[in-house]
Amino acid sequence: MDSVSRSARILVTFTSTLLLAVLISSPAVSQHVAGIKVTVTRIDPVSERVDIDITVLYRDFPGTQYYEAIIGSQYDLGQRPAIVWGDGGQVDSWQYLPGVTGAVFPGAPPDTGVFRGSFSHVYGDAGRYEITARTRCCPLQYGTAIATGNVVNIQIPFPGVPGSTVSTSYLTNMATVELEEPDEVVGGGSRCGLGGELVFLLPPLIFGYERRRGRSRGAKGRPGTSAATS
């Protein structure tokens, strides 16, 4: 029985180790993460919609249709969510970013593949928001230099061994957006009030006044006529 139990424990440990290796290294390209960046591409102040691009860099893997980058965690490894919008909203599940063929990221080595995906979010109120994106784990393996982004070190549970953890890391980066209050329309007029409307109303009023004034001056300057008396 002891030998059976020992074999079972060895099998569990081996399985857990293999599972952990698969979780933190699959797909293989995730071990070569070299950077992540969030770029705000469009802000619509009327609908309060914000569009962003998230760029991820992989060393030694070209940005082609044959490879994909991942943000967030495909498994519960502690670095979820993939995107945090700054207003309480977030993208919990992992997201795939397609490769950008032939793209070069400034500051990254020439053998770095570029992967980019587009995302949108609608905010409920005007204000200042910090948008955060996260890669998967393991950007520091193989001594890869980080081109952009910040390294976050974490401890995650070791599968199958209660109380045990393993150290790993991922990259994160942020972008700031500021949404202003849109101009309000009240009673057919804009929020800028009478001062703004006078810009459009004064010119025709002045023109009409000067025209009537000119006519009045012309009438006073002409010689008058009177009836002859006998």
Side-chain angles (χ1 to χ4, degrees), residues 96-138:
Y96 290 103
L97 310 185
V100 184
T101 305
V104 176
F105 189 89
D111 58 346
T112 298
V114 180
F115 302 79
R116 186 175 297 124
S118 299
F119 303 87
S120 299
H121 183 69
V122 177
Y123 291 89
D125 297 296
R128 179 186 178 94
Y129 301 97
E130 299 284 352
I131 301 173
T132 305
R134 297 178 173 89
T135 65
R136 286 196 64 196
C137 66
C138 321

Side-chain angles (χ1 to χ4, degrees), residues 146-162:
I146 305 304
T148 181
N150 303 302
V151 179
V152 178
N153 297 308
I154 58 172
Q155 298 286 325
I156 62 176
F158 194 96
V161 183

Side-chain angles (χ1 to χ4, degrees), residues 154-200:
I154 58 172
Q155 298 286 325
I156 62 176
F158 194 96
V161 183
S164 298
T165 60
V166 62
S167 299
T168 186
S169 55
Y170 62 92
L171 291 183
T172 183
N173 215 336
M174 305 174 69
T176 302
V177 295
E178 292 192 18
L179 293 173
E180 298 180 354
E181 291 285 354
D183 288 340
E184 299 175 0
V185 177
V186 180
S190 66
R191 191 178 61 174
C192 56
L194 182 60
E197 301 204 356
L198 287 178
V199 173
F200 302 96

